[in-house]
Amino acid sequence: MSTPESADEGLDVTKPVDINKLHIEEIDPDGDLVLDVGADSDPTPRTFRVDPAALRRASPVFKAMLFGPSAESKPAGEQWLVSLPEDDPDDFEIILQIVHCQFHVRRIPRKLMTRKAVYGLLLLTDKYQMTHLLAPWKHTLVDFGRNGEVKWQGYKDIRWCPFEAFLSWQLGFSRVFRAHTVQIVYHCWIDPQSRVLVFNNDQGDKTPLRQLRFGPLDMEGESPVCA
């Protein structure tokens, strides 16, 4: 998987932030951890006060990061601030609300849950090994992910097969994953640079598969959410 093996590998949490200059959103007013999210990935980063124990229970990555021998563990005599500049703050808010059992706080409008939004949410949960938290909503997320499905000459546009393969793998729909993978294999080429290409129906040319957001699939491991 793309998820880092440890709290330090692949996670950029080193950017210094002055906590006194932050507008803090209270996910848990009694929490003693502040997360500054999206400083490098979003024009409007956000800051959340959370319960670190809730994150520890939900994510082995956060457990290692916050409670292991790392720079992000709780400092003595100082406010506890961890910066996550590469993460999307809106996706992170959804995950934090689930982790803190705040299901009543936000009802996600269907029109906001696009393919891009679902993909971003799954990338985030995959990164922190938290995809299992989405199990109660996996059928809803699949429906959101398939919204606006493209058709071409009566057939499903195969450009969406890589996305739907990632979506179905992450959420535990193994049969759907196999079906999309077969379509990718049937419609792909290998160019002289050893890139895997798939046919682009709109442009009439071939596009590198890696540009179509196939996602960090672990072809040998288990799906993060059991079907």
Side-chain angles (χ1 to χ4, degrees), residues 16-151:
V17 176
D18 185 352
I19 195 172
N20 297 314
K21 297 181 179 180
L22 299 174
H23 170 69
I24 301 176
E25 301 178 49
E26 306 287 349
I27 298 294
D28 185 344
D30 298 322
D32 57 350
L33 171 64
V34 174
L35 298 176
D36 184 51
V37 184
D40 292 344
S41 65
D42 195 282
T44 55
R46 301 170 65 183
T47 307
F48 306 99
R49 187 182 306 279
V50 301
D51 177 9
L55 290 175
R56 178 189 62 195
R57 290 189 293 269
S59 164
V61 176
F62 274 116
K63 180 179 180 179
M65 181 195 304
L66 301 176
F67 295 92
S70 66
E72 290 74 44
S73 58
K74 187 174 183 179
E78 299 179 18
Q79 296 190 73
W80 196 0
L81 173 68
V82 172
S83 297
L84 304 171
E86 296 180 347
D87 296 329
D88 182 280
D90 296 331
D91 292 339
F92 212 92
E93 180 191 20
I94 296 173
I95 295 302
L96 290 176
Q97 288 173 345
I98 294 174
V99 167
H100 289 79
C101 300
Q102 297 181 355
F103 308 116
H104 64 286
V105 174
R106 177 175 177 173
R107 296 181 179 225
I108 305 168
R110 173 175 288 269
K111 65 181 181 180
L112 297 181
M113 292 304 293
T114 61
R115 280 193 176 101
K116 182 179 179 181
V118 173
Y119 183 79
L121 183 64
L122 287 171
L123 282 183
L124 188 62
T125 59
D126 177 69
K127 177 179 179 179
Y128 292 106
Q129 298 182 23
M130 303 165 74
T131 308
H132 60 280
L133 298 176
L134 302 178
W137 302 279
K138 66 179 186 177
H139 292 283
T140 301
L141 289 171
V142 166
D143 289 340
F144 283 142
R146 290 174 177 171
N147 253 353
E149 188 173 271
V150 179
K151 300 288 184 178

